[in-house]
Amino acid sequence: MADIVVIGAGHAGCEAALCAARMGLDTLLLTLNLESVALMPCNPSIGGTGKGHLVREVDALGGEMGLAADDVTLQSRMLNTGKGPAVHSLRVQADKRVYQLRMLNTLFAQEKLTLRQGEASEILTKNGAVCGVKTLTGDVIPCRAVVVCTGVYLKSRIIIGEAEWEAGPQGLMPATRLSQSLLDLGFTLRRFKTGTPARVAENSIDFSKMTPQHGDEPPTPFSFMTDRPLENKIDCYLTWTNEQTHEIIRQNLHRAPMFTGAINGTGARYCPSIETKVTRFADKDRHQIFLEPEGMGYPEWYVQGMSSSMPEDVQWDMYRTIPGLEHCVLTRLAYAIEYDCIDPLSLTPHLGAREIPGLYLAGQVNGTSGYEEAAAQGIYAAINAALYCKNEAPFLLTRDQAYIGVMVDDLTTKGTDEPYRMMTSRAEHRLFLRQDNADLRLTERAHKLGLASDERMRRTEQKERETAELIRRLENAGLAKPLRQPGAALTLPEGWEYSAGAKEQAEIQVKYEGYLQKEMAQIRQARAMEEALIPPDTDYLSMDALRLEARQKLDAQRPVSLGQASRIPGVSPADVAVLMVWLKRQNSQEK
Ligand SMILES: Cc1cc2nc3c(=O)[nH]c(=O)nc-3n(C[C@H](O)[C@H](O)[C@H](O)COP(=O)(O)OP(=O)(O)OC[C@H]3O[C@@H](n4cnc5c(N)ncnc54)[C@H](O)[C@@H]3O)c2cc1C
């Protein structure tokens, strides 16, 4: 018996399991293979534009990914520093295998958490609510809530040229039975696809023909809890494709699964394969390629930018046209993987199944792509599964509070027809939702849930106090005004001692004061719409003043608020106005 069963120990499942156990629930983490806990089957990096924000928010909530990333950092870079702080995004090269071991040890050391290797084959319900999980080997595990974090494994299929077979990533076994259980529970399943490049043997690479890419000095940590200085340990290398590469691809497009129809799954627009890039951007005579280390002292390198599912012979030819890879040995071929995932429109804004109390889903199974997107959903879904078990009100993050709120709202209100990747452009309030203030936005709420530690809360409060004091002193000393000048940077007078976090906050809050005030005004407006709650049993179909399409969409999706209703595709501003009037009348009648 467990309170919560988490299915799958990928990036979503690890965060979900730790979160549920840390909130005091007896938790079982059931996964296909304990060797692949926290596996990074694709890029050996954590973070990036928009993704870095999610990692910081997971950290601010008391999650693990940020801390683990700091422990395995090989190289750290702050992206977009040429632009404003809203889009500054941290990205680190991570030692994949050390990351897995680090996460595995953290999971095993966690009180109230048990790990087991096994395949979940069925989710059991009683009176329409979750009551247990059945395994392939016949065990029935009673529980009160389940968090499904099955990633890219549901009925997964590998495609390389004309070859295709049932398998998970990296030769691991697929999950073959749970898809049917989800269908039986009423979910709509789709086929999505993603792909990865080949890996090359380090001793077959000529790095002298590439441009080293160094990390930032000093490296910036992901976690607000990391005090120790981090170190850049290894470089990445930049090289390029060329006309020869492109010609080989063009000559073999008739054998490319992406174009022969062998791949049915929908791929990620923002992680295109090289064959897609060569056809989609035919005018470009070269594409950037980054050689990234898979681990310290580990003899394989990742070829970022060369994801593909071209036949083996074509892969050898095209990779060997790239400067520095002329004699490369492909230790693992590039491949595409197709898998089942659900339609996230069937989820609540808390990542619960609309029709099945106690069932939550997180990660790639919800139609997203990325370690960071998965980890963020994992902790969020588990918070709500834990609160469900405690019969407490759910935990909601809205678009004005967190990138997690933006992602979950996009998924559960607009849905997605392709693997959803987080980007800063998705967040309308991105000047407020920066990565540097995730702790100030989220830690207090996580502390109230018993998830963020007292020490984390103490640090957040100290940062807040220091920041307010520093801004006051800058104003009083007449130093705030010059700081607002374009290009001005914060320099403190002799003897003014403040933490790096407080200095960063003070500089941003002073320099962007006007923009932040404007954004806060928009947030107040948006918040009013989010707080205008709509009764769950509202009879939209009888509201003649609404257009037919809106009635049908609202009835199907049952938005929790006016704000969410306004974002449903097919619901016009005029429909929202009708709803607003109806809601006002409802509220006045109840008084
Ligand atoms: C080939 C490939 C290429 C990728 N390329 C990119 C990319 O370019 N960009 C990007 O952002 N992301 C990419 N990803 C995606 C990235 O790996 C995922 O987004 C991320 O790992 C998702 O995390 P998750 O926790 O949802 O699932 P996963 O990491 O897939 O983990 C799922 C876990 O569930 C377990 N499991 C599954 N079914 C069951 C079951 N029935 N019972 C028990 N355990 C089960 C599995 O063993 C696994 O441990 C790629 C993934 C692959 C495989």
Side-chain angles (χ1 to χ4, degrees):
M1 171 76 187
D3 294 319
I4 297 183
V5 174
V6 175
I7 302 175
H11 303 281
C14 290
E15 295 297 340
L18 288 169
C19 168
R22 288 169 179 170
M23 287 180 69
L25 284 299
D26 284 324
T27 305
L28 171 68
L29 177 54
L30 179 68
T31 198
L32 284 173
N33 188 332
L34 286 174
E35 310 304 326
S36 63
V37 166
L39 175 72
M40 294 180 185
C42 192
N43 47 315
S45 65
I46 291 176
T49 304
K51 291 171 177 271
H53 295 65
L54 291 172
V55 180
R56 280 275 173 87
E57 291 183 359
V58 168
D59 184 67
L61 288 170
E64 202 62 26
M65 183 176 253
L67 288 162
D70 290 345
D71 287 347
V72 303
T73 292
L74 296 176
Q75 186 195 79
S76 169
R77 300 184 83 176
M78 188 67 80
L79 309 181
N80 307 323
T81 48
K83 301 176 184 161
V87 294
H88 290 181
S89 298
L90 192 57
R91 183 179 189 272
V92 302
Q93 297 302 132
D95 192 320
K96 286 184 168 185
R97 286 158 188 81
V98 180
Y99 187 89
Q100 286 191 268
L101 193 56
R102 157 72 172 69
M103 196 59 93
L104 191 68
N105 286 329
T106 304
L107 291 163
F108 271 105
Q110 178 62 48
E111 276 177 36
K112 288 192 169 285
L113 178 54
T114 309
L115 277 78
R116 265 177 59 185
Q117 179 161 313
E119 176 171 346
S121 57
E122 195 180 344
I123 293 162
L124 307 173
T125 60
K126 192 170 172 209
N127 306 327
V130 159
C131 67
V133 171
K134 190 172 177 193
T135 69
L136 183 65
T137 44
D139 189 15
V140 171
I141 307 158
C143 62
R144 290 189 283 156
V146 170
V147 186
V148 177
C149 306
T150 49
V152 296
Y153 290 75
L154 294 186
K155 286 227 160 73
S156 51
R157 199 166 63 95
I158 302 293
I159 303 110
I160 302 180
E162 293 84 6
E164 47 188 280
W165 64 97
E166 310 281 327
Q170 292 186 209
L172 294 159
M173 63 183 268
T176 52
R177 288 177 177 71
L178 199 64
S179 290
Q180 189 55 50
S181 175
L182 292 172
L183 286 170
D184 297 344
L185 290 169
F187 285 96
T188 304
L189 294 185
R190 289 96 57 81
R191 290 297 273 176
F192 275 8
K193 163 257 172 198
T194 187
T196 195
R199 306 314 194 255
V200 288
E202 181 175 69
N203 57 12
S204 71
I205 303 170
D206 181 353
F207 292 103
S208 70
K209 294 197 175 147
M210 303 175 179
T211 314
Q213 307 289 301
H214 308 302
D216 296 341
E217 289 304 343
T220 306
F222 255 122
S223 178
F224 295 103
M225 300 296 281
T226 300
D227 296 328
R228 70 185 187 286
L230 300 183
E231 200 194 329
N232 288 307
K233 298 181 179 130
I234 195 167
D235 286 338
C236 295
Y237 291 83
L238 169 64
T239 183
W240 301 82
T241 63
N242 49 49
E243 195 37 45
Q244 226 193 329
T245 325
H246 301 175
E247 189 50 27
I248 290 171
I249 292 170
R250 281 192 290 266
Q251 291 300 328
N252 289 284
L253 279 180
H254 62 289
R255 300 172 60 204
M258 285 296 292
F259 301 105
T260 60
I263 290 178
N264 310 314
T266 312
R269 181 191 307 271
Y270 301 103
C271 294
S273 64
I274 186 64
E275 50 266 32
T276 302
K277 282 191 267 189
V278 167
T279 45
R280 194 187 290 171
F281 312 108
D283 57 327
K284 287 190 86 174
D285 59 7
R286 64 181 188 160
H287 294 278
Q288 270 188 343
I289 302 294
F290 290 98
L291 271 287
E292 299 181 7
E294 292 251 326
M296 207 59 192
Y298 189 80
E300 287 181 284
W301 283 64
Y302 174 89
V303 190
Q304 209 251 22
M306 280 296 280
S307 168
S308 176
S309 54
M310 283 295 231
E312 173 158 6
D313 57 315
V314 179
Q315 291 195 29
W316 283 93
D317 292 347
M318 68 187 193
Y319 272 77
R320 287 185 165 182
T321 62
I322 294 168
L325 297 183
E326 293 85 350
H327 307 291
C328 72
V329 172
L330 304 184
T331 50
R332 303 169 201 239
L333 293 174
Y335 65 88
I337 182 167
E338 258 187 17
Y339 53 94
D340 284 351
C341 59
I342 67 147
D343 179 349
L345 288 177
S346 58
L347 302 177
T348 67
H350 315 103
L351 292 183
R354 271 181 207 287
E355 313 298 337
I356 306 161
L359 183 57
Y360 296 81
L361 296 95
Q364 195 108 358
V365 70
N366 288 346
T368 59
S369 187
Y371 314 139
E372 306 79 4
E373 288 83 349
Q377 290 170 63
I379 194 168
Y380 186 67
I383 289 172
N384 282 298
L387 292 172
Y388 168 83
C389 290
K390 294 179 176 184
N391 295 320
E392 290 176 22
F395 177 77
L396 179 66
L397 287 174
T398 50
R399 304 181 70 88
D400 58 289
Q401 293 166 337
Y403 270 81
I404 299 174
V406 172
M407 173 172 60
V408 172
D409 182 68
D410 283 347
L411 292 171
T412 60
T413 303
K414 302 175 191 163
T416 184
D417 297 330
E418 58 183 63
Y420 175 103
R421 184 196 180 290
M422 182 45 82
M423 296 175 288
T424 49
S425 56
R426 293 190 189 278
E428 61 272 29
H429 306 299
R430 58 182 165 276
L431 184 56
F432 177 63
L433 300 183
R434 303 180 316 275
Q435 57 169 10
D436 54 74
N437 67 358
D439 51 348
L440 303 178
R441 290 184 279 116
L442 301 174
T443 296
E444 187 179 357
R445 293 183 69 185
H447 186 246
K448 286 200 179 105
L449 292 170
L451 195 50
S453 66
D454 294 345
E455 172 55 16
R456 188 180 280 280
M457 193 59 223
R458 185 196 64 73
R459 288 173 182 232
T460 306
E461 287 168 339
Q462 180 176 346
K463 178 174 164 181
E464 204 149 21
R465 264 196 318 278
E466 272 191 62
T467 303
E469 182 192 293
L470 178 51
I471 292 175
R472 227 184 2 267
R473 287 181 79 185
L474 288 169
E475 295 289 0
N476 296 345
L479 297 171
K481 196 154 180 267
L483 182 55
R484 293 192 181 96
Q485 298 313 308
L490 179 71
T491 48
L492 296 186
E494 191 76 26
W496 289 31
E497 296 297 328
Y498 289 90
S499 67
K503 285 191 279 189
E504 182 179 34
Q505 285 311 307
E507 181 166 28
I508 293 170
Q509 292 181 27
V510 169
K511 284 179 81 63
Y512 295 88
E513 186 184 23
Y515 298 106
L516 280 166
Q517 282 169 352
K518 223 185 275 154
E519 190 145 302
M520 293 318 288
Q522 288 159 356
I523 285 176
R524 279 190 291 278
Q525 252 179 5
R527 212 164 265 169
M529 290 285 279
E530 298 307 321
E531 284 157 7
L533 302 180
I534 305 176
D537 57 357
T538 300
D539 179 7
Y540 296 104
L541 297 177
S542 68
M543 287 190 192
D544 300 341
L546 290 173
R547 289 168 317 107
L548 180 59
E549 182 191 7
R551 278 184 254 159
Q552 291 165 339
K553 289 275 176 72
L554 291 164
D555 180 61
Q557 273 193 253
R558 306 243 134 242
V560 293
S561 67
L562 267 182
Q564 194 187 15
S566 68
R567 293 186 293 275
I568 296 175
V571 176
S572 70
D575 295 314
V576 175
V578 169
L579 266 182
M580 215 179 256
V581 173
W582 177 85
L583 207 54
K584 270 209 186 92
R585 208 177 302 130
Q586 285 294 104
N587 294 343
S588 61
Q589 280 166 3
E590 278 158 18
K591 284 199 183 108

